Amino acid sequence: MSQLPTLSATEIPSERLLLRKVHAADREGIIELMTDPEVRAHLGGPRPRGDVEQHFDAVMTAGETPRPGNYIIADSTTDRLIGTLMLARRSADHPGHVTEDGEELELGYVLRRGAWGAGFAFEAATVALRAAADELPDQPVLIVTQTANTRSLKLAARLGFRPAGTFEEFDAEQTLCTAPLSMFRT
C-alpha cells in the first residue's frame, strides 16, 4: 500500500450528497451495485451475490476501517446509498500512469442504475476533488475507464480531464485521462 498521502476527510457534504464511510445499512445497496450486469458492464461484469455478501459481512464484522479515499455516495436527505467513489493511489504495479514512479491519485465512481443521468457522479467527483485540492499538494489525478464506456469518458471530459493515452488491462482497452489537482482548488 502506498505511503503517499490521499484525501483524509471522513465525510464530504455537497448540495444533494454526502460522501461518507460505509454503514451496515448499505449492505443491500452495495450488493445491488456489485451484482448488477449493467452497472458492472465496463468493470469486469457482475460479481456473484454470495461472494459480495460474504465479503461485505466479513468487512463489517471485522470492523475494518475503510481505506482512505473510499466513500459511499449517499443522498444527503435520506442517507440512502447512491453509489461509491474512490480517490486513492493507483498502484504502480498497474499499467496507466503519467509519472515515472506511478501511484498518482485515481478517481473512480460507480452509481446505481436509478441514479444515472442526474448529475450525481459529477457532483460527488467535484466535491471530492475540491476537498483533495484544498488538502494535498498539486499533482496529477487520473481517471481510468474502458474506452467503450463513453458515458464515463464524457463525465471525465466534463470534469476537465483530458485523454493521455490508452492501454490494455482486464482484457479491454482502457483510456487514461488526467487533470492537475490544482484545477479543483476553491
Side-chain angles (χ1 to χ4, degrees), residues 7-9 11-15 19 71 85 87 105 107 121-138 141 158-161 180-186:
L7 184 56
S8 66
E11 287 191 350
I12 306 169
S14 72
E15 184 178 330
L19 305 185
Y71 298 95
L85 180 136
L87 184 62
L105 284 172
L107 175 67
F122 180 82
E123 185 175 332
T126 299
V127 296
L129 290 164
R130 284 181 180 159
D134 289 344
E135 181 181 326
L136 301 170
D138 189 28
V141 180
R158 185 171 170 221
L159 288 164
F161 285 76
L181 186 58
S182 60
M183 187 172 110
F184 301 96
R185 276 212 179 92
T186 53

Side-chain angles (χ1 to χ4, degrees), residues 42-186:
H42 299 290
L43 298 169
R47 296 196 35 219
R49 182 179 177 95
D51 292 355
V52 177
E53 290 172 337
Q54 186 176 21
H55 177 74
F56 185 88
D57 294 344
V59 167
M60 293 308 287
T61 301
E64 290 181 21
T65 49
R67 294 186 325 196
N70 286 296
Y71 298 95
I72 296 296
I73 303 169
D75 179 288
S76 63
T77 304
T78 64
D79 200 36
R80 182 175 184 261
L81 181 142
I82 293 172
T84 62
L85 180 136
M86 177 267 311
L87 184 62
R89 297 288 170 183
R90 181 165 179 84
S91 172
D93 297 340
H94 290 273
H97 294 279
V98 295
T99 63
E100 189 174 313
D101 295 334
E103 303 223 353
E104 302 93 340
L105 284 172
E106 179 182 8
L107 175 67
Y109 35 81
V110 180
L111 298 180
R112 291 173 118 163
R113 235 182 311 147
W116 292 358
F120 293 130
F122 180 82
E123 185 175 332
T126 299
V127 296
L129 290 164
R130 284 181 180 159
D134 289 344
E135 181 181 326
L136 301 170
D138 189 28
Q139 57 196 285
V141 180
L142 310 177
I143 292 177
V144 175
T145 189
Q146 275 191 19
T147 303
N149 191 347
T150 56
R151 291 179 70 134
S152 190
L153 288 171
K154 285 178 185 175
L155 176 58
R158 185 171 170 221
L159 288 164
F161 285 76
R162 299 292 172 246
T166 60
F167 59 92
E168 290 289 319
E169 188 178 30
F170 309 118
D171 298 322
E173 182 180 82
Q174 308 291 322
T175 297
L176 170 68
C177 301
T178 187
L181 186 58
S182 60
M183 187 172 110
F184 301 96
R185 276 212 179 92
T186 53

